[in-house]
PDB file of all heavy atoms in Angstrom:
ATOM      1  N   HIS A1157      10.359  21.795  64.348  1.00  0.00           N
ATOM      2  CA  HIS A1157       9.372  22.323  65.305  1.00  0.00           C
ATOM      3  C   HIS A1157       9.762  22.099  66.753  1.00  0.00           C
ATOM      4  O   HIS A1157       9.202  22.714  67.652  1.00  0.00           O
ATOM      5  CB  HIS A1157       8.003  21.668  65.058  1.00  0.00           C
ATOM      6  CG  HIS A1157       7.397  22.059  63.749  1.00  0.00           C
ATOM      7  ND1 HIS A1157       6.710  23.223  63.574  1.00  0.00           N
ATOM      8  CD2 HIS A1157       7.406  21.449  62.535  1.00  0.00           C
ATOM      9  CE1 HIS A1157       6.300  23.312  62.320  1.00  0.00           C
ATOM     10  NE2 HIS A1157       6.729  22.245  61.665  1.00  0.00           N
ATOM     11  N   SER A1175      -0.344  15.326  76.476  1.00  0.00           N
ATOM     12  CA  SER A1175      -0.980  14.073  76.902  1.00  0.00           C
ATOM     13  C   SER A1175      -0.513  12.889  76.063  1.00  0.00           C
ATOM     14  O   SER A1175      -0.580  11.753  76.512  1.00  0.00           O
ATOM     15  CB  SER A1175      -2.501  14.199  76.857  1.00  0.00           C
ATOM     16  OG  SER A1175      -2.914  14.656  75.592  1.00  0.00           O
ATOM     17  N   SER A1190      -3.391  17.810  53.628  1.00  0.00           N
ATOM     18  CA  SER A1190      -4.818  18.137  53.650  1.00  0.00           C
ATOM     19  C   SER A1190      -5.100  19.256  54.639  1.00  0.00           C
ATOM     20  O   SER A1190      -4.253  19.604  55.461  1.00  0.00           O
ATOM     21  CB  SER A1190      -5.649  16.903  53.974  1.00  0.00           C
ATOM     22  OG  SER A1190      -5.178  16.333  55.155  1.00  0.00           O
ATOM     23  N   GLY A1281      -7.967  -0.522  84.490  1.00  0.00           N
ATOM     24  CA  GLY A1281      -7.961  -1.152  85.810  1.00  0.00           C
ATOM     25  C   GLY A1281      -6.649  -1.747  86.268  1.00  0.00           C
ATOM     26  O   GLY A1281      -6.038  -1.282  87.227  1.00  0.00           O
ATOM     27  N   ALA A1329       5.002 -14.168  86.855  1.00  0.00           N
ATOM     28  CA  ALA A1329       6.213 -14.025  86.019  1.00  0.00           C
ATOM     29  C   ALA A1329       6.019 -12.894  85.006  1.00  0.00           C
ATOM     30  O   ALA A1329       6.967 -12.178  84.656  1.00  0.00           O
ATOM     31  CB  ALA A1329       6.510 -15.340  85.302  1.00  0.00           C
ATOM     32  N   VAL A1331       4.249 -10.163  85.515  1.00  0.00           N
ATOM     33  CA  VAL A1331       4.432  -8.884  86.222  1.00  0.00           C
ATOM     34  C   VAL A1331       5.926  -8.585  86.337  1.00  0.00           C
ATOM     35  O   VAL A1331       6.388  -7.473  86.054  1.00  0.00           O
ATOM     36  CB  VAL A1331       3.776  -8.924  87.635  1.00  0.00           C
ATOM     37  CG1 VAL A1331       4.166  -7.712  88.458  1.00  0.00           C
ATOM     38  CG2 VAL A1331       2.261  -9.005  87.512  1.00  0.00           C
ATOM     39  N   TRP A1333       8.346  -9.676  84.477  1.00  0.00           N
ATOM     40  CA  TRP A1333       8.844  -9.382  83.113  1.00  0.00           C
ATOM     41  C   TRP A1333       8.623  -7.910  82.778  1.00  0.00           C
ATOM     42  O   TRP A1333       9.522  -7.227  82.291  1.00  0.00           O
ATOM     43  CB  TRP A1333       8.135 -10.348  82.178  1.00  0.00           C
ATOM     44  CG  TRP A1333       7.894 -10.027  80.740  1.00  0.00           C
ATOM     45  CD1 TRP A1333       6.815  -9.364  80.218  1.00  0.00           C
ATOM     46  CD2 TRP A1333       8.696 -10.424  79.611  1.00  0.00           C
ATOM     47  NE1 TRP A1333       6.891  -9.326  78.843  1.00  0.00           N
ATOM     48  CE2 TRP A1333       8.027  -9.970  78.438  1.00  0.00           C
ATOM     49  CE3 TRP A1333       9.880 -11.114  79.466  1.00  0.00           C
ATOM     50  CZ2 TRP A1333       8.529 -10.184  77.155  1.00  0.00           C
ATOM     51  CZ3 TRP A1333      10.379 -11.328  78.179  1.00  0.00           C
ATOM     52  CH2 TRP A1333       9.714 -10.869  77.046  1.00  0.00           C
ATOM     53  N   PRO A1366      -1.954   2.582  79.309  1.00  0.00           N
ATOM     54  CA  PRO A1366      -0.973   3.472  78.671  1.00  0.00           C
ATOM     55  C   PRO A1366       0.428   3.268  79.238  1.00  0.00           C
ATOM     56  O   PRO A1366       1.416   3.383  78.513  1.00  0.00           O
ATOM     57  CB  PRO A1366      -1.480   4.880  79.018  1.00  0.00           C
ATOM     58  CG  PRO A1366      -2.850   4.715  79.557  1.00  0.00           C
ATOM     59  CD  PRO A1366      -3.067   3.285  79.917  1.00  0.00           C
ATOM     60  N   VAL A1442     -26.520  -4.668  69.102  1.00  0.00           N
ATOM     61  CA  VAL A1442     -26.494  -3.695  67.993  1.00  0.00           C
ATOM     62  C   VAL A1442     -26.935  -2.334  68.528  1.00  0.00           C
ATOM     63  O   VAL A1442     -27.890  -2.228  69.289  1.00  0.00           O
ATOM     64  CB  VAL A1442     -27.417  -4.158  66.834  1.00  0.00           C
ATOM     65  CG1 VAL A1442     -27.666  -3.030  65.845  1.00  0.00           C
ATOM     66  CG2 VAL A1442     -26.775  -5.340  66.104  1.00  0.00           C
ATOM     67  N   VAL A1450     -10.562   2.296  68.084  1.00  0.00           N
ATOM     68  CA  VAL A1450     -11.039   2.159  66.701  1.00  0.00           C
ATOM     69  C   VAL A1450     -10.362   0.999  65.959  1.00  0.00           C
ATOM     70  O   VAL A1450     -10.834   0.568  64.908  1.00  0.00           O
ATOM     71  CB  VAL A1450     -10.819   3.456  65.884  1.00  0.00           C
ATOM     72  CG1 VAL A1450     -11.806   4.516  66.281  1.00  0.00           C
ATOM     73  CG2 VAL A1450      -9.391   3.963  66.016  1.00  0.00           C
ATOM     74  N   TRP A1472     -19.699 -14.547  72.292  1.00  0.00           N
ATOM     75  CA  TRP A1472     -19.714 -14.052  73.667  1.00  0.00           C
ATOM     76  C   TRP A1472     -19.011 -12.702  73.734  1.00  0.00           C
ATOM     77  O   TRP A1472     -17.787 -12.598  73.679  1.00  0.00           O
ATOM     78  CB  TRP A1472     -19.085 -15.066  74.608  1.00  0.00           C
ATOM     79  CG  TRP A1472     -19.959 -16.278  74.727  1.00  0.00           C
ATOM     80  CD1 TRP A1472     -21.266 -16.378  74.331  1.00  0.00           C
ATOM     81  CD2 TRP A1472     -19.619 -17.549  75.248  1.00  0.00           C
ATOM     82  NE1 TRP A1472     -21.752 -17.628  74.572  1.00  0.00           N
ATOM     83  CE2 TRP A1472     -20.773 -18.371  75.141  1.00  0.00           C
ATOM     84  CE3 TRP A1472     -18.458 -18.080  75.803  1.00  0.00           C
ATOM     85  CZ2 TRP A1472     -20.784 -19.685  75.573  1.00  0.00           C
ATOM     86  CZ3 TRP A1472     -18.473 -19.392  76.236  1.00  0.00           C
ATOM     87  CH2 TRP A1472     -19.629 -20.174  76.115  1.00  0.00           C
ATOM     88  N   LEU A1510     -19.752  -4.695  93.052  1.00  0.00           N
ATOM     89  CA  LEU A1510     -18.564  -5.491  92.710  1.00  0.00           C
ATOM     90  C   LEU A1510     -18.919  -6.841  92.092  1.00  0.00           C
ATOM     91  O   LEU A1510     -18.073  -7.729  92.022  1.00  0.00           O
ATOM     92  CB  LEU A1510     -17.690  -5.689  93.954  1.00  0.00           C
ATOM     93  CG  LEU A1510     -17.204  -4.403  94.620  1.00  0.00           C
ATOM     94  CD1 LEU A1510     -16.225  -4.710  95.742  1.00  0.00           C
ATOM     95  CD2 LEU A1510     -16.537  -3.470  93.620  1.00  0.00           C
ATOM     96  N   THR A1512     -19.960  -9.377  88.915  1.00  0.00           N
ATOM     97  CA  THR A1512     -19.319  -9.479  87.598  1.00  0.00           C
ATOM     98  C   THR A1512     -20.005  -8.534  86.598  1.00  0.00           C
ATOM     99  O   THR A1512     -21.139  -8.113  86.804  1.00  0.00           O
ATOM    100  CB  THR A1512     -19.396 -10.928  87.075  1.00  0.00           C
ATOM    101  OG1 THR A1512     -20.738 -11.366  87.196  1.00  0.00           O
ATOM    102  CG2 THR A1512     -18.474 -11.833  87.857  1.00  0.00           C
ATOM    103  N   SER A1535     -12.569  11.864  99.270  1.00  0.00           N
ATOM    104  CA  SER A1535     -11.475  10.935  99.617  1.00  0.00           C
ATOM    105  C   SER A1535     -11.136  10.081  98.416  1.00  0.00           C
ATOM    106  O   SER A1535      -9.958   9.854  98.110  1.00  0.00           O
ATOM    107  CB  SER A1535     -11.867  10.003 100.770  1.00  0.00           C
ATOM    108  OG  SER A1535     -12.388  10.743 101.804  1.00  0.00           O
ATOM    109  N   LEU A1598     -14.368   2.635 101.248  1.00  0.00           N
ATOM    110  CA  LEU A1598     -14.550   4.041 101.625  1.00  0.00           C
ATOM    111  C   LEU A1598     -16.021   4.335 101.897  1.00  0.00           C
ATOM    112  O   LEU A1598     -16.896   3.778 101.231  1.00  0.00           O
ATOM    113  CB  LEU A1598     -14.091   4.967 100.495  1.00  0.00           C
ATOM    114  CG  LEU A1598     -12.599   5.117 100.226  1.00  0.00           C
ATOM    115  CD1 LEU A1598     -12.400   5.968  98.975  1.00  0.00           C
ATOM    116  CD2 LEU A1598     -11.872   5.757 101.409  1.00  0.00           C
ATOM    117  N   ASP A1631      -7.381 -25.637  63.505  1.00  0.00           N
ATOM    118  CA  ASP A1631      -8.235 -25.613  62.318  1.00  0.00           C
ATOM    119  C   ASP A1631      -9.600 -26.190  62.684  1.00  0.00           C
ATOM    120  O   ASP A1631      -9.845 -26.550  63.845  1.00  0.00           O
ATOM    121  CB  ASP A1631      -7.566 -26.332  61.136  1.00  0.00           C
ATOM    122  CG  ASP A1631      -7.455 -27.845  61.342  1.00  0.00           C
ATOM    123  OD1 ASP A1631      -8.092 -28.377  62.291  1.00  0.00           O
ATOM    124  OD2 ASP A1631      -6.738 -28.506  60.578  1.00  0.00           O
ATOM    125  N   ILE A1632     -10.473 -26.302  61.692  1.00  0.00           N
ATOM    126  CA  ILE A1632     -11.841 -26.718  62.038  1.00  0.00           C
ATOM    127  C   ILE A1632     -11.923 -28.178  62.491  1.00  0.00           C
ATOM    128  O   ILE A1632     -12.942 -28.612  63.000  1.00  0.00           O
ATOM    129  CB  ILE A1632     -12.866 -26.447  60.908  1.00  0.00           C
ATOM    130  CG1 ILE A1632     -12.284 -26.780  59.566  1.00  0.00           C
ATOM    131  CG2 ILE A1632     -13.380 -25.032  60.941  1.00  0.00           C
ATOM    132  CD1 ILE A1632     -13.280 -26.727  58.445  1.00  0.00           C
ATOM    133  N   PRO A1638       0.019 -25.470  61.317  1.00  0.00           N
ATOM    134  CA  PRO A1638       1.460 -25.314  61.586  1.00  0.00           C
ATOM    135  C   PRO A1638       1.946 -23.889  61.325  1.00  0.00           C
ATOM    136  O   PRO A1638       1.718 -23.325  60.252  1.00  0.00           O
ATOM    137  CB  PRO A1638       2.105 -26.316  60.624  1.00  0.00           C
ATOM    138  CG  PRO A1638       1.030 -27.310  60.324  1.00  0.00           C
ATOM    139  CD  PRO A1638      -0.260 -26.552  60.355  1.00  0.00           C
ATOM    140  N   ALA A1642      -1.588 -17.365  68.208  1.00  0.00           N
ATOM    141  CA  ALA A1642      -2.423 -16.190  68.486  1.00  0.00           C
ATOM    142  C   ALA A1642      -2.424 -15.907  69.981  1.00  0.00           C
ATOM    143  O   ALA A1642      -2.212 -16.806  70.807  1.00  0.00           O
ATOM    144  CB  ALA A1642      -3.850 -16.415  68.001  1.00  0.00           C
ATOM    145  N   ALA A1676       8.762 -18.540  67.746  1.00  0.00           N
ATOM    146  CA  ALA A1676      10.196 -18.487  67.438  1.00  0.00           C
ATOM    147  C   ALA A1676      10.794 -19.891  67.413  1.00  0.00           C
ATOM    148  O   ALA A1676      11.547 -20.249  66.506  1.00  0.00           O
ATOM    149  CB  ALA A1676      10.912 -17.619  68.468  1.00  0.00           C
TER     150      ALA A1676
END
Side-chain angles (χ1 to χ4, degrees):
H1157 293 278
S1175 53
S1190 54
V1331 170
W1333 153 272
V1442 166
V1450 286
W1472 291 345
L1510 302 186
T1512 50
S1535 310
L1598 287 174
D1631 69 12
I1632 41 172

